[in-house]
């Protein structure tokens, strides 16, 4: 019976090996949550509050749906782990609704109508002081200043656990508090740094404590074919010397006096850009020409938005976007440059534009335009989110850019970065135009380093980029490129050209030689009589 | 405008040297084929009938060869050559096994078998020394050398004599050696292919194009008077055959390769035996090359001096180029470095592989029974296995030579272990 024992032993070992692996392969399923809201926007305004809130939820492992409260029918709230009630209007909530809201495992109440819930719960220690103005928010021992026109609801239970308070000169009242299965937030306003408190507290609310670590992406901005290679090289050298990873936003073509100038026309600049990946950098595709007929100047103009009339581009936007993305990516591939992510010029893109873009890129940089009504309606989050609006993973930008005309530009940037430290796993970006003195960027980087920021290396993100000719897949830092475009479409000169020609000649020669060898083999084998052979039986020699 | 990096230049130079050598071998392949075509036509009738057989002495150095020497002597006795014009001299060099007994028994059977026994301090000084002693005791006008494990074909010596009589400018004639224990294991299969490749391409090719042939230690005939004039074998050389080759050419003679004179020998069956043997060859050849390279300009014979350069190129330049390009390749796939050059690299690598396979297959196809599918398969895996061992051998040899130079040690002989096959 020993073979039975050994069989059992072997299968036991195999199970031990396989089972933990397959167990590890399953990640927890996303939590189902519901945003129950009074109005999509504030009264008379265009900013889509609900969609913006949904964007923030994209930082977590959630499956979010939204439902307007006036459309609620009994039973609609069952099956959700968390109900976010966005009470951005005064309203009468029916007792059935209130009871159903109360039955949710977790109820997050924002702004209005909390008094009705307090009555249902028969809270004795509840106080409702209505809208008040405060000067700052206190959170994690940090005071975050409030802009004067953001009033906050002052409504609380004295027995509640207070996570954050709103302060004014006289004192403080609870701003975010928790009691039983209820969380209350006195105000959600998406301006920065106000929103940082809620952004961080969402970790507690959604039950996902992400390991801390603030990070920033350094982005060298608006490099196009007219960029002087030496100027770009100077900025890159400065960043590389600081041993900090970075990204370069490249515009592959420029409209110059009615003619399109592309990277293939400027091999010196391409040479500099090719060194980017060796010095810790990566390439971002920043559109195709960074302009269109409505705003025709490359670098200043909008590309995927009609900025003149502030509306989406006419015609089939899907075709328009894919043409531009493909053209840009073809030029980059032809220059041997392979982008990691996409940054729409001025972050402006319509819903349909995003839909097409998400077929080509996994990662979007910057802000997300939240509405087709105006490009000015956009959102920047304090951390990486899977954007419901854009359909891509967004690495946000919230530190702005260096502006030499502003005297305290660097201080402002560093102040923003300091407020952002309130969010435990913040992710942001600073962009720096190549034509400013590199020393200023060095100052910014040093200042951000001192605030405890790590620097993002997008080369190690998992992503895929796809165009009609090129496919780039990166997993765990290993990149695979499949492209129809060989980098030698750009001008190769000098020794490289000589060497390449020599290799081509060698290839032709080798093919000829191999064919001739095959001919020789065939000739030799054809004549079965003509071989060298042992004249005597070999066996006699083996004694 | 666009600057090439240091890695680029290293890559370019290594590629150039590698391909220089590989293309030279392609030329040798064509020449080897030409030689095959020409010499195959010759049969017994084309050889000069010998009316006056010269006196030939066969020298067989033997140290502890009890496993094989008996059979070797029997094969010598069966040679198709007049018995009274042939003497077989076995130099029993300090054997501690039954070699002496076996030889004594054989002497009862074969009257033309002479046994020269040497012991320390005269003996145990290597093959060169043993051969020199054998030479002293010999009477032949022509000397033929065989290793103790060789079983030559019956006409082998006759063919060698006929060839050297044809051309008085020939100082020596080298025959072909084949692998008797070819089927023992994968290693012997590799070695079998390698020996055919070496002889039909490197030997035959150089012989056909430049009249250059290297003595390969066994199955060769050399003029006695020439040997005596140039001072016999060099006891300081680890590879005494290569060293003798240079001196023969220097003295104004040439050497040719004769595929009709065939001997069968035993090749190493174990990898450690193989490593020892090849390391000895590599070290010996390196010694010969470095010795003559220093005096390159003083060599009178331009052919042999260019042959020295060819060997130097192989061991030094080619070797380092392969190491450099392998390193660049490894570093580039791990992302540590990259070349900024463009070209059809993958296609060239595939073509290099195809070139190797077909070139080697040509050389084995010249021999009956060797142009087989199984040999083709073995050749295709040789590229990644057996051939890469060469790098290791050269490295090891270089290291050992350096070590001995530093510690001031001399070399000493390794005798290749035998088996009963």
């Amino acid at each position: 019976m020993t073979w039975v024992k050994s069989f059992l032993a072997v299968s036991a070992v195999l199970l031990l090996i396989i089972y933990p692996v397959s167990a590890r392969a399953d990640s927890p399923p996303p939590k189902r949550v519901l945003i129950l809201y009074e109005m999509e926007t504030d009264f008379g305004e265009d900013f889509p509050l609900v969609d913006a809130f949904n964007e923030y939820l994209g930082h977590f492992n959630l499956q979010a749906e939204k439902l307007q409260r006036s459309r609620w029918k009994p039973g609609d709230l069952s099956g959700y782990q968390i109900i976010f009630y966005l009470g951005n209007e005064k309203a009468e909530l029916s007792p059935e609704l209130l009871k159903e809201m109360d039955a949710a495992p977790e109820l997050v109440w924002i702004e209005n109508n909390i008094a009705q819930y307090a009555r249902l719960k028969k809270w004795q220690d509840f106080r409702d002081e209505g809208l008040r103005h405060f000067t700052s928010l206190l959170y994690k021992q940090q005071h975050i200043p409030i802009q004067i026109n953001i009033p906050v609801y002052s409504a609380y239970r004295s027995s509640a656990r207070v996570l954050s308070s709103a302060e004014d000169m006289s004192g403080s009242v609870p701003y975010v508090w928790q009691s039983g299965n209820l969380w209350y937030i006195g105000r959600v306003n998406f301006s920065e740094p106000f929103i940082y408190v809620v952004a961080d507290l969402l970790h507690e609310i959604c039950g996902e404590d992400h390991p801390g670590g603030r990070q920033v992406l350094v982005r060298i901005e608006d490099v196009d074919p007219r960029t002087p290679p030496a100027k770009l090289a100077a900025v890159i050298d400065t960043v590389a010397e600081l041993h900090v990873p970075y990204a370069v936003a490249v515009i592959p073509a420029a409209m110059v006096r009615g003619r399109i100038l592309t990277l293939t026309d400027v091999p010196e600049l391409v040479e500099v850009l090719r060194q980017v990946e060796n010095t810790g950098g990566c390439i971002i595709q920043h559109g195709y020409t960074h302009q269109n007929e409505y705003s025709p100047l490359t670098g200043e103009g909008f590309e995927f938005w009609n900025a003149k009339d502030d509306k989406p581009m006419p015609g089939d936007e899907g075709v328009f976007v894919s043409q531009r993305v493909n053209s840009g990516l073809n030029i980059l591939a032809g220059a041997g440059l392979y982008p990691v992510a996409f940054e729409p010029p001025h972050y402006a893109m319509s819903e349909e534009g995003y839909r097409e873009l998400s077929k080509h890129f996994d990662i979007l940089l910057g802000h997300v335009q939240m509405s087709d009504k105006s490009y000015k309606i956009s959102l920047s989050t304090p951390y990486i989110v899977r954007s419901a609006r854009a359909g891509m993973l967004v690495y946000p930008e919230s530190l702005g850019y260096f502006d030499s005309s502003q005297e305290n530009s660097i201080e402002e940037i560093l102040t923003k970065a300091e407020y952002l430290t309130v969010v435990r796993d913040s992710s942001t970006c600073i962009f720096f135009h190549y034509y400013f003195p590199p020393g200023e960027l060095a100052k910014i980087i040093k200042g951000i380093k001192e605030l405890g920021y790590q620097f993002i290396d997008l080369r190690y993100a998992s992503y895929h980029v796809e165009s009609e000719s090129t496919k780039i897949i990166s997993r765990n830092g290993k990149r695979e490129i499949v492209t129809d475009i060989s980098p030698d479409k750009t001008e190769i000169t000098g020794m490289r050209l000589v060497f390449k020609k020599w290799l081509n000649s060698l290839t032709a020669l080798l093919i000829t030689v191999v064919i001739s060898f095959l001919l020789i083999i065939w000739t030799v084998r054809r004549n079965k009589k003509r071989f060298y052979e042992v004249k005597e039986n070999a066996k006699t020699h083996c004694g | 405008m666009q600057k090439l990096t240091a890695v680029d230049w290293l890559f370019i130079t290594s590629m150039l040297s590698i391909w220089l050598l590989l293309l030279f071998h392609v030329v040798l392949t064509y020449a080897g084929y030409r030689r095959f075509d020409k010499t195959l036509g010759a049969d017994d009738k084309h050889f000069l009938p010998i009316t006056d057989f010269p006196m030939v002495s066969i020298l067989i150095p033997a140290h502890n060869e009890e496993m094989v020497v008996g059979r070797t002597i029997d094969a010598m006795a069966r040679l198709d050559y007049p018995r009274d014009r042939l003497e077989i001299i076995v130099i029993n060099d300090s054997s501690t096994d039954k070699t002496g007994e076996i030889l004594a028994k054989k002497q009862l059977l074969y009257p033309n078998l002479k046994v020269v026994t040497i012991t320390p301090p005269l003996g145990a000084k290597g093959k060169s020394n043993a051969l020199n002693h054998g030479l002293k005791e010999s009477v032949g006008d022509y000397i033929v050398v065989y290793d103790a494990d060789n079983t030559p074909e019956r006409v082998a010596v006759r063919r060698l004599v006929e060839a050297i009589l044809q051309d008085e400018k020939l100082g020596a004639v080298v025959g072909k050696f084949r692998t008797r224990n070819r089927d023992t294991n994968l290693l012997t299969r590799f070695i079998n292919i390698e020996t055919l490749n070496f002889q039909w391409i490197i030997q035959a090719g150089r012989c056909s194009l430049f009249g250059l042939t290297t003595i390969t230690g066994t199955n060769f005939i050399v003029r006695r008077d020439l040997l005596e004039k140039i001072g016999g074998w060099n006891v300081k050389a680890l590879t005494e055959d290569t060293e003798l080759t240079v001196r023969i050419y220097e003295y104004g003679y040439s050497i040719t390769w004769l595929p009709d004179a065939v001997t069968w020998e035993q090749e190493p069956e174990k990898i450690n035996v193989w490593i020892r043997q090849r390391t000895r060859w590599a070290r010996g050849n390196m010694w010969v090359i470095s010795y003559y390279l220093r005096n390159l300009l003083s060599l009178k014979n331009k052919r042999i001096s260019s042959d020295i350069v060819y060997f130097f190129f192989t061991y030094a330049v080619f070797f380092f180029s392969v190491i450099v390009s392998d390193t660049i390749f490894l570093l580039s796939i791990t992302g540590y470095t990259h070349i900024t050059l463009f070209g059809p690299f993958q296609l060239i690598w595939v073509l290099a592989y195809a070139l190797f396979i077909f070139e080697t297959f040509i050389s084995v196809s010249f021999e009956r029974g060797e142009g087989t599918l199984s040999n083709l398969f073995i050749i295709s895996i040789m590229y990644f296995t057996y051939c890469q061992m060469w790098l290791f051998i050269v490295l090891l040899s270089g290291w050992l030579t350096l070590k001995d130079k530093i510690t001031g040690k001399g070399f000493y002989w390794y005798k290749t272990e035998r088996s009963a096959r």
Side-chain angles (χ1 to χ4, degrees):
Chain A
M1 291 295 266
T2 50
W3 68 265
V4 173
K5 280 202 209 137
S6 27
F7 172 72
L8 286 173
V10 169
S11 7
V13 171
L14 283 174
L15 280 170
L16 279 171
I17 297 171
I18 297 169
Y19 181 76
V21 170
S22 51
R24 256 183 276 130
D26 299 324
S27 51
K31 272 191 195 150
R32 284 189 69 205
V33 306
L34 178 72
I35 308 174
L36 183 71
Y37 62 95
E38 293 296 329
M39 303 278 280
E40 285 267 13
T41 67
D42 277 345
F43 186 76
E45 290 187 18
D46 289 324
F47 187 80
L49 293 167
V50 181
D51 290 340
F53 194 77
N54 197 12
E55 292 287 294
Y56 275 73
L57 295 183
H59 181 62
F60 302 93
N61 186 21
L62 306 171
Q63 192 191 316
E65 287 154 48
K66 57 185 194 186
L67 171 68
Q68 191 161 30
R69 197 269 315 152
S70 54
R71 298 215 166 103
W72 166 83
K73 288 178 316 309
D76 275 350
L77 302 187
S78 63
Y80 294 102
Q81 294 280 83
I82 309 176
I83 307 283
F84 292 93
Y85 172 63
L86 184 51
N88 52 351
E89 277 269 306
K90 281 195 172 33
E92 269 294 316
L93 308 175
S94 67
E96 295 89 14
L97 172 59
L98 286 168
K99 282 205 196 83
E100 206 173 300
M101 285 165 84
D102 187 39
E106 213 174 314
L107 177 63
V108 183
W109 199 289
I110 300 167
E111 296 171 20
N112 285 292
N113 314 316
I114 181 71
Q116 297 168 44
Y117 183 77
R119 244 176 283 135
L120 172 86
K121 297 292 280 184
K122 300 187 170 50
W123 286 340
Q124 300 302 317
D125 56 348
F126 180 74
R127 283 192 66 178
D128 185 352
E129 293 165 359
L131 273 176
R132 277 177 57 183
H133 286 273
F134 298 91
T135 53
S136 62
L137 296 176
L138 173 65
Y139 179 60
K140 286 186 181 166
Q141 285 139 18
Q142 238 181 300
H143 300 270
I144 295 153
I146 304 177
Q147 290 166 272
I148 203 68
N149 57 354
I150 307 178
V152 175
Y153 269 94
S154 173
Y156 53 92
R157 286 189 77 184
S158 14
S159 58
R161 179 170 81 106
V162 178
L163 285 309
S164 171
S165 325
E167 306 168 303
D168 65 10
M169 295 217 274
S170 49
S172 68
V173 301
Y175 161 58
V176 180
W177 51 267
Q178 185 226 358
S179 174
N181 68 329
L182 177 85
W183 289 82
Y184 180 75
I185 303 174
R187 176 74 171 193
V188 164
N189 178 294
F190 291 97
S191 60
E192 296 151 339
F194 187 89
I195 195 61
Y196 293 165
V197 175
V198 169
D200 189 62
L201 277 170
L202 275 173
H203 289 93
E204 256 75 68
I205 293 170
C206 300
E208 280 180 48
D209 186 13
H210 298 148
R214 50 190 85 115
Q215 52 179 16
V216 64
L217 176 69
V218 173
R219 197 172 81 205
I220 300 173
E221 194 72 0
D222 282 344
V223 172
D224 71 50
R226 300 166 302 180
T227 301
K231 265 217 154 75
L232 177 62
V235 180
I236 288 175
D237 287 341
T238 305
V239 179
E241 262 163 47
L242 294 165
H243 299 291
V244 151
Y246 61 99
V248 182
V250 179
I251 306 159
M255 218 21 151
V256 179
R257 288 186 290 273
R259 190 189 138 234
I260 294 184
L261 181 73
T262 74
L263 286 176
T264 49
D265 300 321
V266 285
E268 275 183 58
L269 178 63
V270 170
E271 182 75 6
V272 175
L273 284 170
R274 285 223 192 96
Q275 297 306 312
V276 164
E277 272 173 25
N278 297 343
T279 49
C282 62
I283 304 290
I284 311 292
Q285 183 175 347
H286 192 23
Y288 169 50
T289 57
H290 201 307
Q291 57 75 251
N292 58 30
E293 59 202 276
Y294 300 100
S295 47
L297 292 176
T298 291
E300 287 176 31
F302 287 64
E303 185 161 355
F304 300 101
W305 188 259
N306 176 352
K308 192 163 85 119
D309 309 307
D310 199 7
K311 56 187 203 183
M313 292 298 283
D316 189 333
E317 274 192 274
V319 169
F320 176 71
V321 168
S322 79
Q323 269 175 357
R324 292 261 169 168
V325 168
N326 282 327
S327 304
L329 195 46
N330 286 351
I331 294 175
L332 287 173
L337 302 169
Y338 303 101
V340 166
F342 195 88
E343 184 205 334
H346 297 291
Y347 304 141
M349 203 170 241
S350 68
E351 191 178 343
E352 214 186 308
Y354 280 132
R355 200 173 304 128
E356 180 62 37
L357 181 64
S358 63
K359 292 183 197 155
H360 299 271
F361 282 88
D362 277 354
I363 300 180
L364 183 80
L365 290 199
H367 304 176
V368 176
Q369 183 173 331
M370 295 301 295
S371 163
D372 281 359
K373 290 205 185 115
S374 166
Y375 77 88
K376 298 188 189 114
I377 304 174
S378 73
L379 184 72
S380 151
T381 53
Y383 33 45
I384 297 169
V385 297
R386 187 153 293 286
S387 167
R389 169 90 183 163
M392 289 173 272
L393 193 68
V394 176
Y395 275 72
E397 172 269 300
S398 52
L399 296 184
Y401 60 97
F402 173 75
D403 185 355
S404 62
S405 64
Q406 234 188 307
E407 223 185 74
N408 54 349
S409 181
I410 297 186
E411 283 97 86
E412 268 198 32
I413 292 169
L414 295 176
T415 309
K416 285 188 207 165
E418 199 172 335
Y419 287 136
L420 192 52
T421 59
V422 137
V423 180
R424 69 196 68 178
D425 54 349
S426 57
S427 180
T428 184
C429 171
I430 169 76
F431 61 103
F432 187 86
H433 294 87
Y434 70 89
Y435 43 76
F436 287 129
E440 304 296 319
L441 179 58
K443 280 190 215 155
I444 297 172
I445 291 175
K446 289 203 188 96
I448 293 182
K449 246 191 205 166
E450 274 160 30
L451 290 170
Y453 278 84
Q454 301 256 305
F455 291 82
I456 298 174
D457 191 342
L458 278 176
R459 297 175 303 169
Y460 290 93
S462 290
Y463 61 87
H464 103 287
V465 172
E466 200 169 324
S467 80
E468 63 194 359
S469 68
T470 305
K471 200 173 189 172
I472 307 165
I473 299 179
S474 178
R475 296 265 172 270
N476 302 321
K478 270 200 154 114
R479 182 173 68 173
E480 209 185 287
I481 298 168
V482 176
T483 176
D484 295 335
I485 301 176
S486 53
D488 61 8
K489 281 223 169 121
T490 58
E491 249 178 75
I492 307 174
T493 57
M495 193 57 211
R496 274 198 198 88
L497 191 61
V498 170
F499 185 64
K500 191 167 151 315
K501 285 198 183 147
W502 179 75
L503 285 181
N504 285 339
S505 316
L506 179 66
T507 309
L509 178 65
L510 287 178
I511 292 174
T512 317
V513 168
V514 169
I515 293 174
S516 72
F517 279 1
L518 285 169
L519 267 168
I520 292 177
I521 292 171
W522 181 67
T523 311
V524 168
R525 289 172 73 85
R526 203 174 42 146
N527 194 331
K528 300 255 184 230
K529 297 211 192 93
R530 289 165 56 83
F531 290 122
Y532 267 90
E533 57 179 34
V534 177
K535 297 277 202 276
E536 294 149 63
N537 195 339
K539 285 222 171 80
T540 63
H541 296 286
C542 298
Chain B
M1 240 215 241
Q2 300 160 2
K3 271 195 298 174
L4 292 178
T5 64
V7 178
D8 288 334
W9 282 112
L10 270 173
F11 185 75
I12 292 176
T13 46
S14 65
M15 279 280 268
L16 276 172
S17 355
I18 289 170
W19 280 106
L20 204 63
L21 191 77
L22 292 181
L23 291 175
F24 177 61
H25 280 200
V26 167
V27 173
L28 288 181
T29 306
Y30 290 137
Y33 171 58
R34 191 176 72 165
R35 179 116 184 135
F36 161 78
D37 212 33
K38 259 206 320 208
T39 59
L40 191 56
D43 56 21
D44 288 0
K45 295 197 195 70
H46 286 201
F47 285 106
L48 286 176
I50 307 176
T51 46
D52 198 11
F53 287 90
M55 186 69 194
V56 170
S57 301
I58 299 178
L59 301 182
I60 306 173
H63 169 71
N64 286 344
E65 301 280 8
E66 64 178 4
M67 306 234 39
V68 292
V69 74
R71 183 177 54 195
T72 303
I73 302 299
D74 292 337
M76 300 297 159
R78 276 199 295 267
L79 286 170
D80 179 12
Y81 202 82
R83 227 139 271 200
D84 55 330
R85 306 302 290 165
L86 181 73
E87 62 170 0
I88 306 165
I89 303 178
V90 178
I91 306 106
N92 184 358
D93 187 354
S94 321
S95 296
T96 52
D97 65 354
K98 294 204 182 62
T99 301
E101 286 173 41
I102 298 172
L103 288 172
K105 279 209 200 97
K106 294 294 177 187
Q107 271 186 303
L108 299 173
L109 288 172
Y110 309 120
N112 58 348
L113 171 63
K114 225 197 267 193
V115 179
V116 174
T117 309
I118 52 174
T119 49
L122 286 172
K125 287 215 187 96
K127 188 173 170 190
S128 293
N129 175 59
L131 286 169
N132 283 338
H133 276 283
L135 178 66
K136 268 212 296 249
E137 302 292 328
S138 69
V139 300
D141 296 319
Y142 293 91
I143 307 294
V144 175
V145 175
Y146 280 105
D147 284 341
D149 65 323
N150 271 225
T151 47
E153 293 182 358
R154 297 173 87 123
V155 294
V157 171
R158 196 186 153 115
R159 292 279 107 87
L160 288 173
V161 172
E162 285 162 353
I164 202 163
L165 285 178
Q166 266 183 18
D167 185 354
E168 54 187 23
K169 287 215 274 289
L170 283 171
V173 177
V174 181
K176 190 168 67 185
F177 62 94
R178 296 294 314 279
T179 309
R180 192 166 61 216
N181 54 343
R182 168 206 121 123
D183 287 323
T184 305
N185 56 27
L186 189 60
L187 178 63
T188 55
R189 294 292 297 268
F190 283 149
I191 296 173
N192 175 53
I193 292 171
E194 181 201 12
T195 56
L196 289 175
N197 183 51
F198 168 71
Q199 290 177 97
W200 277 112
I201 294 181
I202 313 288
Q203 285 276 62
R206 282 183 313 152
C207 188
S208 169
L209 281 178
F210 313 118
L212 276 172
T213 303
T214 314
I215 295 174
T216 43
T218 188
N219 195 27
F220 67 94
I221 190 170
V222 60
R223 294 180 195 275
R224 189 218 186 77
D225 45 2
L226 170 62
L227 256 183
E228 284 177 339
K229 269 186 254 184
I230 61 179
W233 279 272
N234 187 335
V235 295
K236 282 214 231 47
L238 253 182
T239 47
E240 80 297 334
D241 42 8
T242 316
E243 203 278 333
L244 184 67
T245 307
V246 179
R247 275 188 291 130
I248 289 177
Y249 274 100
E250 259 307 274
Y251 206 75
Y253 285 83
S254 66
I255 306 177
T256 194
W257 183 67
L258 188 68
D260 302 273
V262 183
T263 185
W264 292 81
E265 64 177 26
Q266 198 191 66
E267 302 293 350
E269 293 170 355
K270 296 216 198 72
I271 192 79
N272 54 337
V273 178
W274 180 85
I275 290 176
R276 268 209 294 273
Q277 181 195 62
R278 294 315 172 95
T279 314
R280 171 170 72 82
W281 293 359
R283 292 190 63 187
N285 288 339
M286 283 180 193
W287 182 89
V288 172
I289 294 164
S290 64
Y291 180 80
Y292 284 105
L293 203 60
R294 271 178 274 152
N295 310 315
L296 197 66
L297 293 172
S298 65
L299 285 174
K300 284 175 284 176
N301 189 315
K302 289 299 162 232
R303 258 185 317 186
I304 198 67
S305 52
S306 33
D307 210 33
I308 302 280
V309 173
Y310 162 67
F311 274 110
F312 170 72
F313 195 84
T314 308
Y315 277 109
V317 181
F318 181 70
F319 170 72
F320 276 111
S321 300
V322 170
I323 298 280
V324 165
S325 68
D326 281 352
T327 310
I328 292 178
F329 173 67
L330 283 171
L331 287 178
S332 65
I333 54 174
T334 57
Y336 272 112
T337 184
H338 74 295
I339 46 172
T340 69
L341 301 160
F342 302 113
F345 295 121
Q346 272 159 329
L347 181 58
I348 287 185
W349 186 86
V350 170
L351 285 171
Y353 184 46
L355 187 76
F356 169 78
I357 292 179
F358 295 130
E359 190 175 292
T360 313
F361 195 63
I362 285 178
S363 63
V364 304
S365 295
F366 294 156
E367 299 287 342
R368 182 176 293 274
E370 295 291 346
T372 60
L373 215 60
S374 71
N375 262 355
L376 185 63
F377 171 71
I378 294 190
I379 292 171
S380 59
I381 58 175
M382 251 175 105
Y383 193 72
F384 306 103
T385 52
Y386 188 71
C387 298
Q388 305 303 323
M389 292 292 286
W390 176 78
L391 291 171
F392 167 69
I393 296 291
V394 176
L395 266 170
L396 182 61
S397 311
W399 160 246
L400 289 172
T401 308
L402 196 66
K403 207 163 67 128
D404 285 347
K405 268 205 153 63
I406 293 173
T407 62
K409 215 163 50 140
F411 68 90
Y412 52 100
W413 280 90
Y414 283 115
K415 203 192 73 71
T416 308
E417 283 162 35
R418 305 288 182 205
S419 76
R421 270 173 274 263

